[in-house]
Amino acid sequence: AQTVTQSQPEMSVQEAETVTLSCTYDTSESDYYLFWYKQPPSRQMILVIRQEAYKQQNATENRFSVNFQKAAKSFSLKISDSQLGDAAMYFCAYISNFGNEKLTFGTGTRLTIIP
Amino acid sequence: GAGVSQSPRYKVTKRGQDVALRCDPISGHVSLYWYRQALGQGPEFLTYFNYEAQQDKSGLPNDRFSAERPEGSISTLTIQRTEQRDSAMYRCASSLDSGLGSSYEQYFGPGTRLTVT
């Protein structure tokens, strides 16, 4: 079974600075997708970014980028120019590309932005 | 267009009562998923549908939990004889497509917070 580990329960960053959230996963599969979801205080779940395992290029979405290291099974999220609205729980998630379509989530990292 | 909607947003029920939670996915989305999220945890998979067919119900905790999607659109998650341990946020998500070649991007609704007293 796949597992997703987020080892940082809480992180904080100064506004306008850069922060990196860590995620590791365990799988025997070679083809899969990885996601970062944001859960603000409203408790909505918002898709932030997606990475396909067969693509070597790291995904980017505006101020959000990932560092995907397939051999190390590592998938970190970098947030540049942090803004107050980035304060949220961030969840890393894995999904197989072999028909098992459930997302497996990590336990989350709570990000605080310091003004 | 409208996102995934869920109703009710909050439900308080007494132990032993049955509850029905509704999910209305994004129009045209083939796949629909149910997850349960305990406080301070990530969502955990319960079940999912492609169109009206339930593809995987391995995450349903026991036979008190059931789900249906009879016309391939709206889905209902039913919990019979609720227990206090069923208290959680129940989340629905939908995705445009499924299977090999899919983007697998799942869009979540706001959730239903269930409290069993």
Side-chain angles (χ1 to χ4, degrees), chain B residues 4 25-32 69 72 94-97 105 107:
Chain B
V4 178
I26 295 171
S27 178
H29 277 199
V30 167
S31 300
L32 184 148
R69 193 187 184 197
S94 70
S95 65
L96 179 60
D97 48 13
E105 293 183 1
Y107 296 90

Side-chain angles (χ1 to χ4, degrees), chain A residues 102-103, chain B residues 33-35 43-48 56 58-60:
Chain A
K102 60 184 180 184
L103 283 167
Chain B
Y33 309 81
W34 283 100
Y35 293 85
E44 291 185 334
F45 171 80
L46 295 176
T47 185
Y48 90 93
D56 183 349
S58 63
L60 295 177

Side-chain angles (χ1 to χ4, degrees), chain A residues 2-47:
Chain A
Q2 293 80 24
T3 59
V4 177
T5 302
Q6 293 180 251
S7 59
Q8 305 156 316
E10 296 185 356
M11 292 280 285
S12 61
V13 64
Q14 206 81 26
E15 193 176 2
E17 297 295 310
T18 295
V19 65
T20 299
L21 308 184
S22 300
C23 173
T24 59
Y25 58 94
D26 188 22
T27 183
S28 58
E29 297 173 339
S30 59
D31 195 8
Y32 48 86
Y33 292 77
L34 297 163
F35 302 88
W36 280 97
Y37 280 86
K38 171 185 177 181
Q39 188 173 81
S42 65
R43 300 211 76 196
Q44 182 62 281
M45 287 286 285
I46 302 165
L47 178 61

